[in-house]
Amino acid sequence: MTAVCRKDILYSLPLQGNSSPFQPNIFLIGYVSFMSEKSKINLAWIEGSFFASFNILSKIKDKYKDAECYSFGSDNSYADIYDILCTTSCFSPCKLIIISGMPDLTDGEKKKFKELLENLDPSNLVVFYMLSKTSEKYIYTTVEKIGKL
């Protein structure tokens, strides 16, 4: 997997591509100057040991402390997540959206969500935190596809 990262995150977060109990896997896709405007997508997939993953999430929150922060779990509806991803920020130029659980989605909703991730506003950072690669494979494959340059 090839990951391209924003410099402010790249120098503060260890990027790991292996499954170690002490180092989480994190794939960050960020702003790249030679990419088209449509390709500027910010996504992060964090998994691994709880404490290491929590530390990386804390570093991301510190970098985005001025951003509007939203957190979603499996008890939220798809409409809640979709509304936040599609609306513009009121109080900050960017949003930090942490998704730690996905609601049950229909096939149509999964397709719309994948399209939404592929065309996400570049000022947003979406973090998929501690989701299972196997149960949320449709999201993981999208993040992996966007990360390959």
Side-chain angles (χ1 to χ4, degrees):
M1 162 114 190
T2 304
V4 177
C5 304
R6 287 180 46 176
K7 288 183 181 178
D8 59 340
I9 296 175
L10 178 64
Y11 296 119
S12 64
L13 298 176
L15 292 178
Q16 300 293 327
N18 58 358
S19 294
S20 166
F22 302 107
Q23 294 292 329
N25 292 331
I26 180 166
F27 303 107
L28 293 173
I29 298 87
Y31 294 105
V32 181
S33 60
F34 58 86
M35 293 175 68
S36 67
E37 190 67 31
K38 188 176 179 182
S39 299
K40 293 182 180 178
I41 299 174
N42 284 340
L43 295 173
W45 184 278
I46 303 173
E47 64 180 357
S49 73
F50 175 78
F51 294 110
S53 298
F54 184 77
N55 285 338
I56 289 178
L57 183 62
S58 296
K59 289 178 183 180
I60 290 173
K61 285 181 178 180
D62 287 344
K63 292 289 183 187
Y64 284 85
K65 61 184 168 200
D66 295 332
E68 290 181 32
C69 186
Y70 300 93
S71 183
F72 295 102
S74 58
D75 56 335
N76 293 101
S77 70
Y78 170 71
D80 295 338
I81 298 171
Y82 185 82
D83 288 343
I84 293 300
L85 288 172
C86 290
T87 58
T88 56
S89 300
C90 295
F91 304 107
S92 175
C94 59
K95 290 189 266 189
L96 173 61
I97 302 154
I98 302 166
I99 300 175
S100 57
M102 287 296 293
D104 292 331
L105 303 178
T106 64
D107 289 338
E109 289 173 335
K110 287 179 183 179
K111 184 178 178 182
K112 286 181 185 177
F113 190 67
K114 285 170 47 175
E115 290 174 7
L116 182 63
L117 291 177
E118 292 171 355
N119 298 307
L120 193 62
D121 182 358
S123 63
N124 295 339
L125 174 62
V126 178
V127 177
F128 295 102
Y129 180 69
M130 301 299 279
L131 295 179
S132 169
K133 281 191 258 188
T134 55
S135 64
E136 307 300 341
K137 188 171 177 102
Y138 66 98
I139 297 173
Y140 185 77
T141 55
T142 303
V143 173
E144 192 174 42
K145 180 181 91 174
I146 293 170
K148 290 186 177 183
L149 302 176

